[in-house]
Amino acid sequence: DQQVKQNSPSLSVQEGRISILNCDYTNSMFDYFLWYKKYPAEGPTFLISISSIKDKNEDGRFTVFLNKSAKHLSLHIVPSQPGDSAVYFCAAKASGSNDMRFGAGTRLTVKP
Amino acid sequence: NAGVTQTPKFRILKIGQSMTLQCTQDMNHNYMYWYRQDPGMGLKLIYYSVGAGITDKGEVPNGYNVSRSTTEDFPLRLELAAPSQTSVYFCASSLAGYNEQFFGPGTRLTVL
């Protein structure tokens, strides 16, 4: 069962505009959420995380929003840059569990 | 500081053959993980370890074995390769369960 879903396989935005990547989850036990970025032929790299006690976390151009009632989180990238073009994975885990669940990823293309 | 290294980068196996995927980290992390990523899917946890001598199953452990005799190394063993094990395998490590995971570059395995 896919407990973490990224329903948009791809997203294309213009350089300088905002990129919004979405993620939904079904397991109400999840309390820690992460976004990873992956370039081709490389492993994923950590981008930003958020705990369920917060609804927003910001790090430079990247902001993650968490809506617990809707079981939804989103990653905002402002402004988007061509170097942001990559696959973005949403991941979630529950307290006390070491089993992190990943979404299928969204391929972001930022056009110059 | 090399981070997480994986060998080999690529491998083709025949059905029924066995092999070991190597993973080493030099960050003195306690936790180590093995994931597989199938095309168009997110990463799925195969096995993890919370320290030397301690391993546990993840979401998809069937057909694999692991051991953790040192903090640095976490090899993944495939005993009887099957076409369903064709995938990209990622090793990761983290300081503890709630820290972000650092990933290796991956091993692309094809079983024919």
Side-chain angles (χ1 to χ4, degrees), chain B residues 58-109:
Chain B
E59 186 184 358
V60 291
N62 291 343
Y64 307 94
N65 278 301
V66 293
S67 59
R68 182 103 181 266
S69 56
T70 67
T71 300
E72 295 79 20
D73 300 304
F74 190 41
L76 177 72
R77 179 86 179 159
L78 283 72
E79 291 294 349
L80 288 169
S84 61
Q85 293 177 306
T86 294
S87 191
V88 181
Y89 291 83
F90 292 101
C91 178
S93 71
S94 65
L95 191 58
Y98 259 92
N99 297 103
E100 67 266 25
Q101 296 178 17
F102 293 80
F103 284 82
T107 294
R108 183 176 295 274
L109 176 67

Side-chain angles (χ1 to χ4, degrees), chain A residues 36 42-45 102, chain B residues 3-8 21-27 29 31-37 43-49 66-68 71-76 88-94 101-108:
Chain A
Y36 283 85
E42 295 183 10
T45 55
F102 284 78
Chain B
V4 180
T5 56
Q6 292 182 238
T7 56
L21 282 67
Q22 301 291 347
C23 175
T24 300
Q25 53 94 7
D26 62 359
M27 297 174 282
H29 284 170
Y31 287 60
M32 294 188 75
Y33 313 81
W34 274 106
Y35 291 91
R36 60 177 286 173
Q37 185 190 12
L43 283 74
K44 293 194 175 183
L45 184 64
I46 304 171
Y47 271 95
Y48 67 93
S49 168
V66 293
S67 59
R68 182 103 181 266
T71 300
E72 295 79 20
D73 300 304
F74 190 41
L76 177 72
V88 181
Y89 291 83
F90 292 101
C91 178
S93 71
S94 65
Q101 296 178 17
F102 293 80
F103 284 82
T107 294
R108 183 176 295 274

